[in-house]
Amino acid sequence: MTACGIDFGTSNSTVGWMRPGQDVLLTLEDGKPTLPSAIFFHDEDNEVSFGRAAIADYVAGYDGRLMRSMKSLLGSSLMEGHTEVAGRALPFKTLLTRFIGELKARAEHAAGCGFEAAVLGRPVFFVDDDPKADQLAQDTLGEIARAVGLREIDFQYEPMAAAFDYESQIEREELVLVIDIGGGTSDFSLIRLGPQRALRDDRRDDILAHGGVHIGGTDFDKQLSLAHVMPLFGLGGQLKTGKDVPSTQYTNLACWHTINQAYTRKAAETFAFIQAQALERDKIGHLMKLIKNREGHWVAIQVEQAKIALSEAPATCIDLSRIAPGLAAGIERPAFDLAMDGLIERIQATVAKLLQQAGVSRVDTLFFTGGSSRVPCLRERISALLPEARSVEGDLFGSIGTGLALDARRKFG
């Protein structure tokens, strides 16, 4: 069977296929190996666009429905529900099937052949502290994979896949902690790697520990938005009664996979109440324009870009003048770190617990992968647990897909 590795990510997806003398990752869009995990349904002509094209169509102002962070639905109560697209109910499972089917079709086009088998990446925990929901999430992903034509499937923890990619690049044995900070989860594997170990079919004895927590880049976006952007639209303000402005709809607007809930009839009633009762009229005016024009995803894109900028620079400015002239949020690195502090603390505690359970106090290498692993305060806090380890940065968006392809060759030939 022709087998590939599929990394269906919260923010970006890749497909890998092992071929002699060629790149492992297949080209999926605009000559790039990544396909942003986004889908846009056009209202006018029932057309559907994916990836960068989906985001571009939304930003260009076409009428329709944008969906991102769809992987976050797996294991949640929303998975059995539906969303409204062009006046029709679309089950979330159908939505995921549509995207993964497109992902497979693009990979097959790039490969020039069909794929009958695949190793699919999965986080260490789809759902924290709920084994039943976690298994249901994997089962649902398996059902979708079979529905798009894959006859044989297997799963691999995403940090393990990244470990296999790193292992293909080293010349001596190392004890490695893989830190995979993706869009929806933070996952960790402590594993012995080396050229001779790579030849083994069974790697169970090489694995010292796995760990994970349901925190990722979209959660960083959410906290950054709630701390520095949503207050510009009235969050944290007061009503005429002296009570705080209701926060639920602001939270929905700050989280990728719930933004569309801010456009429902129930949400409209809440916003009408806020508009009538809030004291800060100018900020609520910005909020009502955002809702009227359905600019929630556009704002989320600006927040995401600010997070990326603050991972490289000491300060940035989120320009929101599309909502109102002069509207902006200036943010410096210390304020960003403060907004992330609670999340980073939980991630650091997860790593510390993993090391304690494994009985390990030092490792050779910290291997960072996943787009949000570049957040400086996160790297600093994890590195502080293992100060003697060297830090290595993998292909932030490609290590998992490459490792899954290696695993697919090992499992399916």
Side-chain angles (χ1 to χ4, degrees):
M1 278 184 289
T2 307
C4 64
I6 297 177
D7 176 23
F8 169 46
T10 302
S11 300
N12 291 278
S13 296
T14 62
V15 180
W17 181 39
M18 299 302 299
R19 300 163 293 169
Q22 298 188 53
D23 292 338
V24 175
L25 297 180
L26 295 164
T27 299
L28 300 176
E29 184 184 24
D30 297 339
K32 298 179 175 63
T34 54
L35 180 69
S37 301
I39 183 169
F40 184 75
F41 296 90
H42 292 253
D43 284 347
E44 294 182 1
D45 52 15
N46 293 320
E47 290 293 316
V48 179
S49 49
F50 299 85
R52 294 171 187 80
I55 297 169
D57 287 348
Y58 170 80
V59 172
Y62 289 102
D63 291 332
R65 190 70 177 273
L66 177 71
M67 297 292 294
R68 286 193 71 183
S69 298
M70 296 170 284
K71 186 178 179 179
S72 299
L73 296 167
L74 290 168
S76 76
S77 58
L78 291 173
M79 194 65 234
E80 297 305 316
H82 65 273
T83 188
E84 185 176 307
V85 174
R88 301 187 302 274
L90 179 71
F92 283 120
K93 187 178 291 186
T94 302
L95 176 70
L96 265 67
T97 303
R98 190 80 178 262
F99 180 81
I100 293 175
E102 178 71 15
L103 181 64
K104 176 174 177 284
R106 291 186 181 213
E108 290 176 332
H109 176 76
C113 67
F115 292 116
E116 303 169 274
V119 175
L120 280 75
R122 58 149 294 165
V124 174
F125 300 114
F126 280 105
V127 183
D128 293 340
D129 302 319
D130 191 342
K132 185 176 180 181
D134 186 79
Q135 185 62 49
L136 178 61
Q138 178 174 298
D139 292 344
T140 301
L141 184 56
E143 290 172 12
I144 291 170
R146 292 185 180 90
V148 301
L150 291 165
R151 295 195 292 116
E152 296 289 338
I153 61 170
D154 202 349
F155 293 92
Q156 181 58 264
Y157 290 138
E158 289 158 356
M160 278 299 302
F164 295 150
D165 178 37
Y166 177 62
E167 186 174 52
S168 70
Q169 306 167 39
I170 60 177
E171 298 179 352
R172 62 179 178 84
E173 186 168 309
E174 299 180 19
L175 178 58
V176 179
L177 176 63
V178 179
I179 299 109
D180 171 27
I181 314 296
T185 60
S186 295
D187 297 297
F188 315 98
S189 286
L190 184 62
I191 182 172
R192 298 188 192 282
L193 301 174
Q196 294 305 311
R197 292 180 183 273
L199 302 175
R200 300 177 179 179
D201 290 330
D202 188 345
R203 301 300 301 273
R204 284 176 291 184
D205 290 343
D206 296 336
I207 302 166
L208 278 68
H210 288 304
V213 62
H214 206 268
I215 296 172
T218 55
D219 298 290
F220 298 161
D221 296 344
K222 176 182 176 180
Q223 292 306 120
L224 185 59
S225 181
L226 291 174
H228 295 283
V229 175
M230 289 301 138
L232 299 177
F233 297 94
L235 178 64
Q238 289 191 318
L239 303 174
K240 295 175 182 177
T241 61
K243 294 183 177 180
D244 292 338
V245 170
S247 62
T248 299
Q249 298 306 329
Y250 290 99
T251 302
N252 284 340
L253 284 168
C255 189
W256 276 105
H257 67 282
T258 58
I259 289 172
N260 286 314
Q261 293 184 29
Y263 306 141
T264 64
R265 184 175 300 176
K266 181 178 179 180
E269 295 173 357
T270 300
F271 287 128
F273 171 78
I274 292 173
Q275 186 177 29
Q277 296 295 321
L279 295 177
E280 297 178 298
R281 308 295 298 173
D282 56 339
K283 292 183 178 180
I284 303 307
H286 301 333
L287 173 68
M288 300 312 293
K289 184 176 180 181
L290 183 158
I291 297 301
K292 179 183 177 182
N293 295 336
R294 298 199 170 195
E295 299 279 22
H297 285 94
W298 178 83
V299 172
I301 291 169
Q302 310 317 304
V303 173
E304 182 182 37
Q305 291 303 313
K307 175 193 68 179
I308 294 169
L310 286 165
S311 296
E312 304 290 341
T316 193
C317 183
I318 303 178
D319 182 359
L320 299 168
S321 57
R322 175 163 161 168
I323 306 295
L327 189 64
I331 309 168
E332 296 183 351
R333 177 79 65 73
F336 174 64
D337 292 347
L338 182 62
M340 300 300 107
D341 187 66
L343 299 178
I344 302 300
E345 184 175 343
R346 288 175 59 194
I347 292 171
Q348 184 185 34
T350 302
V351 175
K353 182 179 179 181
L354 178 148
L355 295 171
Q356 183 181 35
Q357 290 176 340
V360 170
S361 60
R362 60 184 297 171
V363 303
D364 298 309
T365 304
L366 301 176
F367 182 71
F368 290 93
T369 189
S372 292
S373 70
R374 274 188 173 163
V375 172
C377 61
L378 181 144
R379 288 204 179 191
E380 291 167 6
R381 296 275 282 273
I382 293 179
S383 297
L385 295 172
L386 297 158
E388 297 179 357
R390 70 186 187 110
S391 294
V392 175
E393 182 177 289
D395 181 339
L396 297 186
F397 301 103
S399 283
I400 293 173
T402 298
L404 292 172
L406 286 164
D407 203 31
R409 182 176 65 179
R410 181 182 297 117
K411 291 176 176 176
F412 297 111

